[in-house]
Amino acid sequence: DQQVKQNSPSLSVQEGRISILNCDYTNSMFDYFLWYKKYPAEGPTFLISISSIKDKNEDGRFTVFLNKSAKHLSLHIVPSQPGDSAVYFCAGWGGYGGATNKLIFGTGTLLAVQP
Amino acid sequence: GAGVSQSPRYKVAKRGQDVALRCDPISGHVSLFWYQQALGQGPEFLTYFQNEAQLDKSGLPSDRFFAERPEGSVSTLKIQRTQQEDSAVYLCASGPEREQYFGPGTRLTVT
């Protein structure tokens, strides 16, 4: 039972253009959604999050959109830069408490930004 | 330290050996998490500590896996009688519950 799905294993974008990474989820009890970025041989690093009660959160070049009715979120990167090339993971967080305090990750999308 | 550190970074074990993986969380972080990341997959939750208390170990795949955090800071993940399917990157994270800060991971290869 995959609660968080990233159906695109990879995405290639030209430098300066918009990158759109998608994520679908099945668990309507998630409290927050997070995006992590991972370079090879490093651990994931937190990028941006959104509360389940919001529909948009923006931080510089990064914007996350949440569509609760469709159980879908997306990460927009504008403009894309070669340094953005990495694997991006979407994750849901179930809230405080012993059984729900964990991140549930998707399988990741490899973004390649071409110079 | 500035971030979460893990050791060793790489470990090769023969099938049947026991291994111990160490995590040093960010100083002062109450919560500590362990995740397992198989090749081509996202990290999967193993277990969670709040200080020295292990509040959730529902993700540990078998009773060969054991984690501890006796003094509420450093944590050790122990795998007994390693099997080939245990080969993965083991990630440790600490911090505020939802914005978790990850270490670089330990890549375990069981031959």
Side-chain angles (χ1 to χ4, degrees), chain A residues 9-112:
Chain A
S10 63
L11 175 67
S12 183
V13 169
Q14 286 294 119
E15 181 178 4
R17 307 293 289 265
I18 184 170
S19 294
I20 300 176
L21 295 98
N22 293 303
C23 178
D24 297 293
Y25 63 95
T26 58
N27 185 348
S28 57
M29 301 303 290
F30 283 134
D31 235 17
Y32 264 81
F33 299 90
L34 302 89
W35 285 92
Y36 278 80
K37 175 179 177 178
K38 186 180 182 307
Y39 293 118
E42 295 184 13
T45 55
F46 170 72
L47 193 56
I48 191 170
S49 66
I50 187 166
S51 164
S52 60
I53 63 172
K54 300 272 180 75
D55 55 19
K56 177 182 174 181
N57 187 28
E58 192 171 349
D59 183 3
R61 297 186 297 114
F62 303 91
T63 303
V64 56
F65 296 92
L66 175 61
N67 181 336
K68 283 188 72 175
S69 61
K71 292 194 172 70
H72 177 83
L73 61 156
S74 60
L75 174 68
H76 292 211
I77 307 174
V78 183
S80 301
Q81 300 173 354
D84 296 329
S85 298
V87 177
Y88 288 78
F89 291 99
C90 169
W93 181 71
Y96 295 101
T100 56
N101 187 9
K102 65 187 75 169
L103 293 173
I104 308 293
F105 285 88
T107 52
T109 296
L110 174 63
L111 173 65

Side-chain angles (χ1 to χ4, degrees), chain B residues 25-92:
Chain B
I26 294 172
S27 178
H29 278 182
V30 166
S31 296
L32 184 146
F33 305 81
W34 283 98
Y35 292 85
Q36 180 191 57
Q37 185 176 15
L39 194 62
Q41 302 297 313
E44 290 196 8
F45 172 81
L46 292 176
T47 187
Y48 155 54
F49 290 86
Q50 193 171 80
N51 296 307
E52 68 277 3
Q54 190 174 21
L55 298 189
D56 185 357
K57 53 182 181 179
S58 62
L60 296 176
S62 78
D63 58 8
R64 296 186 295 105
F65 286 71
F66 172 76
E68 61 183 4
R69 195 186 183 198
E71 297 176 359
S73 56
V74 171
S75 177
T76 304
L77 176 67
K78 297 179 179 177
I79 309 173
Q80 296 178 324
R81 303 180 305 281
T82 52
Q83 303 295 315
Q84 282 197 312
E85 62 262 27
D86 301 335
S87 295
V89 175
Y90 291 85
L91 293 161
C92 175

